Amino acid sequence: MSRVLIIGAGGVAAVTVKKCARLPQHFDEIYLASRTVSKCEALQKEVGADRVKAVFAVDADNASEVEKLINEVKPDLVINLALPYQDLPIMDACLATGTDYLDTANYEPKDVAKFEYSWQWAYQDKFKDAGIMALLGSGFDPGVTNVYTAYAAKHYFDEIHYLDIVDCNGGDHGQAFATNFNPEINIREITQRGRFWENGEWKETDPLSVREDLDYQNIGVRASYLMFHEELESLVKHFPTLKRARFWMTFGDAYLNHLRVLEGIGMTSIEPVEFQGQKIVPLEFLKAVLPNPGSLAEGYTGMTCIGTYITGIKDGKEKTIFIYNNCEHAKCNEEVGAQAVSYTTGVPAMIGAALMLNGTWKKSGVWNMEQFDPDPFMEMLNEHGLPWHVLECDQSPFSKK
């Protein structure tokens, strides 16, 4: 019998809860906790009290409060779908209680717009000594893109040399300006400097200053911008033959124009300002007035295309492949009442959890997705709504860049 505690009740958590609820063979009992317990209660009502056994209010910033909750529920696994700021308190609670851990995004300190794996990798010996496991980044990017890379390295290449992860949302939600996941995290991510790996070192660019127009499967040509994304950090560590690794994301002109205006007037700042006798963070205020990403699903048209271009050597010859998924917003809404960005993160969280619970991916310590056999995960993607495709290319669209 397996028991999971899911922390978080936003758009991604809603997808994960609904997917887990349909698989009692992997998830016998589901418990749900969030700062806002009413969100948990709404999810419980939607999937049934026979599947979500109980809901709780918890402050995930407080490790002792999370520890107390874990001791009450006694789960086999904690699925952390809260904010990246809360990764370390939840990991501390799991360590204190001897409980396995999974998340979808790496730790980010609240007072600095910077994310990297060093803080979580530092738990390796502690988790190993405690005989428990932490699986980091079981979303899509990071997550599925890491597994795509491991799958390509296992089945298509002797060595991989060039990696370009591409993330295109070709959908239309009809809003003047909205983010597809937590606005605070999203805007912090895209306004920081770009970073990529080349010839054994990290190189930096000004935010969204490097653009390429790429042709995405079943979507068409979209402007794509070089950014830093956390999976690059783990992939260059675990695939040392990589000569270059980059991450690209699409943004429309209207989105970028809004973003530049908001930056220009200080609304994306994380530095507190005085307002009517109290301190407020402009970005947190902006988050409060922007559309809730969970509300975008109804009427959202189009699809996403997220994948990995990989160039390397097989049998002495250079080759390039593109592994990717297309995910339609309307189909996701029809299935689970979510838009595709939430869906593409929530489903891999469920899959990673299932593989941990059934022992397929299981070893003590702190691990990234690409450090396990990719085949079982890839099989489950096809079975649970995220079918993937492999396209053999004459050359990479990045080959001359």
Side-chain angles (χ1 to χ4, degrees), residues 176-179 183-192 207-209 225 227 249-269 283 286 290:
F177 182 80
T179 62
E184 187 179 349
I185 301 303
N186 182 223
I187 292 172
R188 284 168 63 114
E189 177 181 295
I190 65 178
T191 54
Q192 70 172 281
L208 305 182
S209 62
Y225 295 86
M227 296 171 47
M249 185 173 282
T250 61
F251 300 99
D253 290 340
Y255 182 95
L256 292 178
N257 288 337
H258 277 85
L259 183 65
R260 291 185 187 108
V261 171
L262 291 168
E263 279 191 282
I265 61 175
M267 286 305 300
T268 63
S269 173
L283 182 55
L286 178 61
L290 287 176

Side-chain angles (χ1 to χ4, degrees), residues 52 88 100 105 139 144 165 196 222 290 338 343 373 379:
V52 175
L88 300 190
D100 289 341
V144 174
I165 296 168
F196 67 98
R222 293 289 188 276
L290 287 176
Y343 191 91
D373 180 8
E379 290 172 12

Side-chain angles (χ1 to χ4, degrees), residues 125-140:
D125 290 342
K126 294 177 183 177
F127 267 65
K128 188 173 182 180
D129 291 345
I132 58 175
M133 173 179 167
L135 182 62
L136 307 182
S138 190
F140 205 107

Side-chain angles (χ1 to χ4, degrees), residues 19 139-140 144 148 304 306 324-328 332 335 340 342-349 351 377-389:
K19 285 290 195 176
F140 205 107
V144 174
Y148 282 173
T304 63
I306 312 174
Y324 70 96
N325 162 265
N326 284 126
C327 189
E328 293 187 42
C332 297
E335 182 192 344
S342 295
Y343 191 91
T344 54
T345 304
V347 172
I351 294 174
F377 194 98
M378 295 289 276
E379 290 172 12
M380 289 189 72
L381 287 172
N382 282 332
E383 293 168 1
H384 296 287
L386 292 175
W388 46 273
H389 313 275

Side-chain angles (χ1 to χ4, degrees), residues 58-288:
V58 68
D59 177 2
D61 291 312
N62 187 324
S64 61
E65 194 172 319
V66 178
E67 180 183 341
K68 182 180 177 182
L69 175 60
I70 293 173
N71 281 327
E72 180 178 351
V73 174
K74 294 182 170 52
D76 300 293
L77 172 67
V78 170
I79 301 175
N80 170 17
L81 302 177
L83 296 175
Y85 317 137
Q86 297 159 337
D87 288 0
L88 300 190
I90 296 174
M91 289 182 75
D92 285 334
C94 286
L95 192 58
T97 57
T99 309
D100 289 341
Y101 168 92
L102 176 149
D103 66 32
T104 61
N106 71 358
Y107 174 70
E108 180 176 341
K110 193 170 179 62
D111 58 349
V112 183
K114 177 182 181 181
F115 51 98
E116 61 182 50
Y117 276 118
S118 60
W119 291 287
Q120 291 178 282
W121 283 342
Y123 282 71
Q124 168 68 18
D125 290 342
K126 294 177 183 177
F127 267 65
K128 188 173 182 180
D129 291 345
I132 58 175
M133 173 179 167
L135 182 62
L136 307 182
S138 190
F140 205 107
D141 46 342
V144 174
T145 51
N146 302 60
V147 177
Y148 282 173
T149 306
Y151 186 82
K154 178 178 178 179
H155 294 285
Y156 286 88
F157 296 98
D158 298 320
E159 279 191 6
I160 60 173
H161 292 164
Y162 299 96
L163 172 73
D164 283 281
I165 296 168
V166 295
D167 184 330
C168 172
N169 180 7
D172 181 7
H173 47 54
Q175 300 286 334
F177 182 80
T179 62
N180 292 288
F181 60 96
N182 184 287
E184 187 179 349
I185 301 303
N186 182 223
I187 292 172
R188 284 168 63 114
E189 177 181 295
I190 65 178
T191 54
Q192 70 172 281
R193 288 177 63 77
R195 192 152 63 102
F196 67 98
W197 179 261
E198 188 171 49
N199 297 326
E201 63 180 356
W202 290 104
K203 298 183 178 180
E204 291 195 356
T205 64
D206 289 335
L208 305 182
S209 62
V210 180
R211 168 180 168 167
E212 299 289 352
D213 293 334
L214 302 175
D215 191 359
Y216 290 89
Q217 272 62 31
N218 301 308
I219 294 175
V221 177
R222 293 289 188 276
S224 309
Y225 295 86
L226 188 146
M227 296 171 47
F228 176 67
H229 230 237
E230 62 251 52
E231 63 263 45
L232 297 181
E233 186 181 16
S234 69
L235 288 169
V236 300
K237 176 182 179 181
H238 298 131
F239 294 96
T241 61
L242 278 170
K243 298 177 181 180
R244 188 182 66 210
R246 302 181 296 192
F247 180 94
W248 306 80
M249 185 173 282
T250 61
F251 300 99
D253 290 340
Y255 182 95
L256 292 178
N257 288 337
H258 277 85
L259 183 65
R260 291 185 187 108
V261 171
L262 291 168
E263 279 191 282
I265 61 175
M267 286 305 300
T268 63
S269 173
I270 62 173
E271 296 298 324
V273 298
E274 194 81 27
F275 178 72
Q276 295 185 347
Q278 60 181 323
K279 296 270 191 182
I280 67 165
V281 175
L283 182 55
E284 292 180 357
F285 175 80
L286 178 61
K287 172 186 174 181

